Structure formats: C-alpha cells, structure tokens
C-alpha cells in the first residue's frame, strides 16, 4: 500500500482513476481524484529536492487548465530558463500523456514518449493518474511532484532568488489570509465546478452542479465590478487560477460540459476581466485554443463519442477593447511585464485568437 496526498492507496483503487485524474460514476455526482505526489522543491531542500536552476523539467500540456497555470506563473516570474518546460500534445489515452509534438514523439530532454515513464521512475507501482503538470528531476528522470496547487505557490515563494527583475508578487504575504479562502472557493465552485457539470452522472447531480457554478460566477462577477483584479489593483495567483477556466469557457465548457446558462461573452464583467488578462503579457500568449478544443472533444469520448472537434467559436473577440483600465490599478504593480515569449514556446499560429 502506497501513501499519496496523505491517504493510503490500495491496489484495488487503481482502476477508478483516469489519466486526467478525474472520474465519474453513473448516477452520482462527479468527484475529482485529489491525491497527488506532494513532495516539494524548496530553497532548503528539506525533502531532498532543493531549488536549483536547470535541474527540473516542467511537463505542462497547453490544453490542461491546471498545467496552464504553471506556464503562466513561470512566465510572469521569468523562470523559463530556470525551469525549462516540455509540452505533451493535447490528447492522451487511458495510459499516459505523450510527447506527440516533439520530433520522433520523444521529449528531447527526458528521452521518453510517455509521461508515465517518469512516474514509474518515481514508483514502479505508481497507482494514480498520470497528470500534468508534473515537475521532473532531470538527474534521474523521476517525477518530483504533480501537486499543481502547491507548485505555483512554490514558484512564487521558494524560487524568489531566480525571479526576473520586475517580477510581480503573485502571492503577497499580507493578502494571504483573504486570498487562500478565495482561491479555495474558485477551485471548488468554478475550476472544478465546470467538471462537476460535465461529468455529472445523473440529471439531479447536473442540476445541482449547474446551479452552484453559476452562483459562483455571479458572486465573482459582483466582486470584480469595482476592482480590476480579484485582490485589488494588481494581478495575483488568484487571477491566474480563475483565468484558466474562463479562457476555456466558450470554447469548451459552454457546449461540451453543458454550462450553457450564458457564454462568458454574455457575462459583461467577467468577459471584460478575462479579456484584460488575456491581453496582458504572460496570459494570452500561453493559450492555444486549437489544442484546448482538441483535448476536450477528442479525449472525453464518454461525453463526445464521435470525437468531432467543433470549428467555432470565433476567438477574435479576445483581442477587443475591454475598458477595465477605467478601474485603475496596474497589472504588475511596481514591477514590469515579462519580455517576449521564450524561443520555441510560441503558440502555434492556428491556435491563436487571431487565427
């Protein structure tokens, strides 16, 4: 029996957990498998993994909202050269994410085709989902952690000595008492709320999930009416976490997950807020709409058996004026925007909003 995320996992439990770390039981509400490898990379290296430039490889698929968070935070903080990234293709099978976009289908650094191989390096009997993002130690090719929520907080707090000059403080200490419960609310009600709708196992479960999701979106919309960002005048980790769900809303969740009370583009405050972030360096330049659609519509065959990927929607609206400057504030506070996207990490032309 192994222990992950503070809970013992018996061999008999393995079949419940998919590559994406989620599962749904017919007739029941959706649940997310929230057990992760919780080892941390810290300045002091207490767990055996110390902060070290170039030692770790971030494996983060653009299609995945949880992985997208790490790509945004890494870019905002200027950690691209310090924590190099590998990006699997947008689809995966029941076994593993794979490096379909790389030459020969092999990650050029880890020399593996399946991300699963890095998990098995950590534990030959690894029982849980093969998820992204994953931080891999290039010394032995083994996964260090896939705890996405802690990973980005550690990028902000443990990797400070490697931040670029002018990097924003995404997790300000004086705001954490208010931020932490807000981020938990965003996770349970919105980030996970769309999945609760999409994978509901019954009509009643869906109806409850739908009501919870839109109640939360309305609550957050009210909060953002008078403040430019969730915590006030500057961007924080809370905005990153909300953004990755909002940017997928019309392209995927509205139709695929049946979250169709309103499109994001029909919710004025949230739509303007999301466009403000999208047009901020570090956010929209990590988004590949084509990969996002390919992932959800091709992988979730239980929801979309045909595997047909819709041609729409028109994403050019993401580049339209948002007017949020009228609320004041500065996205990076006393800091500065990140520089150009790192070579080789540019979003493919067919995935951009102006495609």
């Amino acid at each position: 029996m192994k222990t992950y995320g503070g809970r013992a996992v018996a061999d008999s439990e393995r079949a419940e957990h998919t590559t994406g770390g989620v599962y749904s039981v017919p007739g029941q509400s959706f649940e997310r498998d929230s057990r992760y490898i919780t080892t941390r990379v810290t300045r002091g290296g207490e767990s055996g993994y110390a902060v070290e430039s170039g030692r770790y490889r971030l494996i983060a698929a653009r299609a995945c909202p949880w992985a997208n968070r790490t790509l945004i935070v890494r870019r905002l903080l200027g950690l691209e050269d310090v924590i190099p990234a590998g990006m699997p293709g947008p689809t995966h099978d029941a076994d593993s994410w794979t490096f379909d976009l790389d030459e020969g289908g092999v990650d050029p650094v880890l020399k593996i085709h399946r991300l699963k191989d890095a998990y098995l390096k950590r534990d030959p009997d690894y029982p849980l989902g093969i998820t992204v993002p994953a931080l891999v130690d290039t010394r032995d090719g083994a996964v260090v952690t896939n705890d996405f929520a802690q990973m980005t907080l550690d990028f902000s707090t443990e990797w400070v000595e490697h931040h670029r000059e002018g990097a924003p403080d995404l997790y300000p200490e004086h705001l954490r008492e208010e931020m932490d419960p807000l981020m938990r609310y965003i996770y349970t009600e919105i980030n996970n709320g769309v999945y609760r709708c999409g994978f509901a196992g019954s009509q009643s479960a869906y109806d409850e999930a739908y009501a919870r999701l839109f109640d939360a979106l309305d609550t957050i919309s009210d909060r953002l009416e008078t403040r430019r960002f969730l915590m006030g005048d500057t961007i924080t980790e809370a905005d990153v976490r909300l953004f990755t769900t909002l940017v997928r809303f019309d392209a995927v969740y509205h139709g695929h997950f049946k979250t169709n009370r309103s499109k994001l583009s029909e919710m004025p405050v949230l739509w303007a807020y999301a466009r403000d972030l999208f047009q901020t360096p570090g956010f929209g330049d990590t988004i590949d709409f084509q990969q996002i659609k390919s992932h959800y519509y091709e992988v979730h065959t239980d929801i979309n058996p045909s595997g047909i990927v819709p041609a729409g929607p028109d994403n050019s609206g993401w580049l339209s004026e948002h007017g949020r400057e009228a609320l004041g504030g500065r996205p990076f506070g006393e800091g500065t925007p990140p520089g150009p996207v790192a070579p080789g990490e540019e979003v493919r032309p067919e995935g951009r909003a102006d495609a």
Side-chain angles (χ1 to χ4, degrees), residues 76-115:
L76 294 177
L77 298 178
L79 294 172
E80 294 99 321
D81 292 335
V82 178
I83 310 174
M87 298 185 190
T91 61
H92 58 70
D93 56 25
D95 192 48
S96 181
W97 289 86
T98 54
F99 295 96
D100 304 321
L101 303 179
D102 290 304
E103 185 176 354
V106 173
D107 180 84
V109 173
L110 301 177
K111 306 301 183 184
I112 56 176
H113 172 60
R114 305 178 312 157
L115 179 57

Side-chain angles (χ1 to χ4, degrees), residues 149-161:
Q150 187 62 48
M151 200 181 301
T152 49
L153 296 181
D154 284 343
F155 285 177
S156 284
T157 58
E158 300 296 326
W159 293 78
V160 174
E161 287 79 6

Side-chain angles (χ1 to χ4, degrees), residues 250-316:
D250 288 4
V252 174
Y253 302 143
H254 180 269
H256 186 58
F257 279 177
K258 308 178 185 69
T259 62
N260 60 357
R261 187 200 73 178
S262 313
K263 295 178 181 177
L264 176 67
S265 56
E266 296 168 344
M267 295 182 265
V269 173
L270 291 178
W271 176 224
Y273 162 81
R275 296 196 325 272
D276 188 4
L277 290 177
F278 187 89
Q279 294 169 32
T280 298
F283 285 83
D285 51 30
T286 71
I287 301 301
D288 188 318
F289 286 109
Q290 192 59 41
Q291 286 198 31
I292 288 169
K293 291 194 299 181
S294 177
H295 171 71
Y296 285 91
Y297 285 101
E298 292 184 61
V299 171
H300 298 158
T301 53
D302 48 345
I303 299 176
N304 186 41
S306 70
I308 294 172
V309 179
D314 177 2
N315 293 309
S316 61

